Amino acid sequence: MTAVTAPPKKASAGPAPTRRTARLRPVVRVLSLLAALGLWQLLTTLDVQLWLRFDQFPSVTDVAGEFGERIGDGAYWQDVTDSLRRIVTGFLLAAVLGVAAGVAVGRSRWAADLVGTVLEVLRPVPAIALVPVAILLFPSNEQGIVFITFTAAFFPVLVATRHAVRALAPVWEEAVLTMGGGRWRVLASVVLPGALPGIFGGLSVGIGVSWICVISAEMISGEYGVGYRTWQDYTVIDYPGVFTGIVTIGLLGWLTSTVVELLGRRLTHWLPRREGKATA
Amino acid sequence: MSTDTDTTVTAPRTEQPAPGARLSVTGAELGRPGAVVLRGLDLEAAPGEILTVVGPSGCGKSTLLRTLAGLLPALAGQVVQDGRPVTGPGADRALVFQEDALLPWRTARANVELPLAIRGLGRAERRARAEQWLERVGLAGLERQLPHRLSGGQRQRVQLARALAGQPRAVLMDEPFGALDAQTRASMQQLLVEVLQGTGATVVFVTHDVDEALFLGDRVALLGAGGLAGVRPVPSPRDRGARDTPATVALRHDILESLGPRAS
């Protein structure tokens, strides 16, 4: 490794991030990732056993080798597309229905009385505990898995939407009413755009929970997918395979939450942001 | 006096504005159930006049405006526009709020376009009209700015443009310049006078600033803690030079007396 010329550190010790430190941020991110991988490699190749045992643990190179092999295999991509299809279907359903239910419950006393209580009782039930219900309800495992994924994301989206809708400034609605706008105009021009920042908070949480549930559901009901494969590899003690699965889940989760994040930032570009534009 | 209900929206009617609305409340009890702020109120705004309503905080000025706008039903008595009872909000009565009522996700132009979109105007026409109004309130070049990029005074200018773009028959203004500094307030008062010219709209302007009420109003309604304390005609409305004439000084004195010792 060639010596990286250390940037002059305290060149601008101010509260506002300068252009130079901004350019440095991606470098820091890559370096921290490399450091984590390096630590992993070190612990596993040295077979460290300090209460935590790394002797059975596959090393980074083991996993990378396994990963490289599987990427060339059609079965791997079949699993990835299976899992992605399930999560995208379940998540999109949850987004649409969660926003609709959240707006209804947040805006209408009738809707709140009618479905609010039922939803509040169902909400604390972990989606994964609904596996038996899904098996009873749906003719195929596939639909059951999508249902579990949907349920997982539905409640965070519902709750975030309801809060966002209730927190809207009343003047916005009154302004539209005094322009002659009706219910639907208020909904389209005030409620939905105004609640969007909050809704995206719920969607970000939702996509994360969805992954937890799609993987768990695949492990339990076994109809292919990354979760199923990971569990299969575990049962045949193929640890590099297990870690390939874990890395795949991590990458897919990161990919989908980034899509949600970027979409959210694009749709709420009107929010006042600091000039420095803190990027996540 | 029934105005033609199906006026064509395509023909710009700025040249020949429809007459301003006649707004009246009679024997009105205003507020919310259990929190009545005004009882037995009788007040009328004549077509095309500027009626200023002055009074201390909490006297029910805002409640009166919101009732006229149709956002708040009267608990008793009548609220009437041109002989017809007011039953809800409508595009013919625009409301200008004291607080920031612009939609923060819409640019200045898109905010002004909103009432035109609600009226069903096409994209090109509403864009042209919105730009025209923004220019009239002195915001040419700032059409594409988001509200949070504008100053408080500029935002109130956008609100004014948005209210007038819908060609309302009455403009109800709830301390629209109350949060602005004195200099900005004076220039906004001047601007308001200018942009109202030719619209024919009736204006009900609520303020706690007696000088503002005296400058803008054709008549000043005094709203004290006990209700309406009288309506006074202004000797020379919208004339800065008349600020210190004996008639105005006497009227200001009279108003401050009527509103009670602690009125400001």
Side-chain angles (χ1 to χ4, degrees):
Chain A
M1 202 162 99
T2 54
V4 179
T5 46
K9 246 193 170 173
K10 296 247 169 180
S12 58
T18 60
R19 213 167 270 173
R20 182 172 303 166
T21 57
R23 239 185 305 160
L24 212 64
R25 294 182 60 199
V27 180
V28 172
R29 288 174 192 204
V30 171
L31 284 179
S32 90
L33 187 63
L34 289 178
L37 289 175
L39 183 66
W40 176 4
Q41 181 71 5
L42 216 61
L43 289 169
T44 48
T45 48
L46 295 178
D47 290 343
V48 172
Q49 289 193 54
L50 293 164
W51 190 62
L52 290 173
R53 297 161 302 153
F54 291 94
D55 50 334
Q56 295 287 316
F57 226 76
S59 68
V60 177
T61 40
D62 293 339
V63 176
E66 179 73 18
F67 200 87
E69 246 171 66
R70 292 210 178 179
I71 272 183
D73 187 359
Y76 175 82
W77 294 107
Q78 187 59 48
D79 286 333
V80 167
T81 44
D82 278 350
S83 290
L84 272 178
R85 190 183 60 244
R86 288 164 184 160
I87 199 158
V88 168
T89 315
F91 179 72
L92 285 182
L93 277 174
V96 172
L97 296 178
V99 169
V103 169
V105 171
R107 299 271 306 167
S108 144
R109 193 167 297 173
W110 271 108
D113 290 343
L114 219 56
V115 294
T117 324
V118 179
L119 291 174
E120 283 307 310
V121 173
L122 288 178
R123 182 152 78 98
V125 180
I128 204 67
L130 295 175
V131 167
V133 179
I135 291 171
L136 288 178
L137 273 178
F138 293 96
S140 82
N141 271 350
E142 185 65 28
Q143 291 151 354
I145 295 172
V146 171
F147 170 73
I148 302 273
T149 314
F150 158 79
T151 319
F154 176 76
F155 286 104
V157 176
L158 165 79
V159 172
T161 306
R162 190 185 61 195
H163 280 291
V165 164
R166 287 190 179 155
L168 291 172
V171 275
W172 295 338
E173 180 174 352
E174 289 173 353
V176 171
L177 289 175
T178 53
M179 290 172 206
R183 273 176 87 92
W184 295 107
R185 172 59 71 169
V186 168
L187 190 68
S189 295
V190 176
V191 177
L192 286 178
L196 220 46
I199 289 174
F200 267 94
L203 291 175
S204 287
V205 176
I207 192 80
V209 192
S210 279
W211 271 110
I212 296 174
C213 289
V214 79
I215 296 299
S216 314
E218 283 174 352
M219 285 180 171
I220 295 172
S221 57
E223 195 102 323
Y224 302 109
V226 180
Y228 165 81
R229 185 71 55 205
T230 307
W231 193 252
Q232 284 302 305
D233 289 337
Y234 171 69
T235 56
V236 299
I237 328 182
D238 176 3
Y239 291 129
V242 170
F243 275 82
T244 303
I246 290 174
V247 170
T248 305
I249 296 165
L251 289 175
L252 289 177
W254 180 53
L255 175 79
T256 48
S257 51
T258 303
V259 169
V260 172
E261 182 73 21
L262 289 179
L263 186 68
R265 222 180 286 167
R266 199 181 167 81
L267 290 178
T268 60
H269 68 96
W270 48 271
L271 282 175
R273 286 197 173 89
R274 278 198 308 157
E275 294 303 311
K277 258 202 176 172
T279 48
Chain B
M1 45 170 291
S2 64
T3 44
D4 203 354
T5 41
D6 42 33
T7 44
T8 47
V9 283
T10 41
R13 296 166 59 94
T14 39
E15 310 303 319
Q16 222 182 354
R22 179 183 296 277
L23 292 168
S24 66
V25 289
T26 24
E29 191 173 291
L30 308 182
R32 293 178 189 282
V36 180
V37 279
L38 282 166
R39 282 176 213 277
L41 179 71
D42 295 301
L43 189 63
E44 183 175 273
E49 81 164 334
I50 300 182
L51 174 70
T52 50
V53 180
V54 67
S57 312
C59 69
K61 304 179 303 250
S62 294
T63 306
L64 170 64
L65 267 202
R66 294 165 60 79
T67 308
L68 287 173
L71 290 171
L72 202 63
L75 300 171
Q78 286 176 315
V79 184
V80 173
Q81 175 185 6
D82 298 325
R84 285 186 298 273
V86 169
T87 52
D92 49 355
R93 278 157 291 130
L95 187 53
V96 177
F97 300 81
Q98 170 176 13
E99 67 255 64
D100 214 341
L102 298 177
L103 302 181
W105 49 88
R106 283 175 170 255
T107 61
R109 184 175 65 200
N111 264 288
V112 180
E113 277 184 38
L114 190 55
L116 304 170
I118 290 173
R119 262 175 46 189
L121 263 65
R123 180 182 293 265
E125 174 158 21
R126 60 177 193 249
R127 174 165 296 191
R129 285 209 197 177
E131 283 178 357
Q132 214 175 317
W133 273 106
L134 283 169
E135 201 183 319
R136 281 187 75 173
V137 299
L139 291 180
L142 295 175
E143 296 89 350
R144 304 185 67 178
Q145 293 295 330
L146 286 167
H148 75 88
R149 291 277 188 189
L150 301 171
S151 70
Q154 288 170 332
R155 285 201 288 264
Q156 290 309 76
R157 283 167 193 252
V158 179
Q159 260 212 75
L160 189 57
R162 183 173 74 174
L164 292 174
Q167 289 177 292
R169 300 326 316 143
V171 186
L172 310 168
M173 308 186 80
D174 188 4
E175 300 202 38
F177 312 143
L180 305 177
D181 61 87
Q183 260 183 317
T184 313
R185 195 183 312 171
S187 65
M188 289 297 288
Q189 290 162 1
Q190 194 59 47
L191 175 76
L192 175 64
V193 171
E194 285 163 19
V195 294
L196 280 173
Q197 248 156 32
T199 65
T202 308
V203 176
V204 181
F205 189 105
V206 155
T207 178
H208 63 261
D209 178 347
V210 176
D211 285 320
E212 187 168 67
L214 280 174
F215 172 66
L216 288 172
D218 292 297
R219 294 188 303 148
V220 182
L222 316 180
L223 216 51
L228 190 65
V231 182
R232 308 275 193 275
V234 176
S236 24
R238 297 174 288 284
D239 177 6
R240 286 262 182 240
R243 198 181 131 80
D244 298 318
T245 59
T248 310
V249 171
L251 180 56
R252 183 182 298 117
H253 185 72
D254 169 33
I255 290 172
L256 290 172
E257 284 285 291
S258 308
L259 289 176
R262 282 291 157 124
S264 56

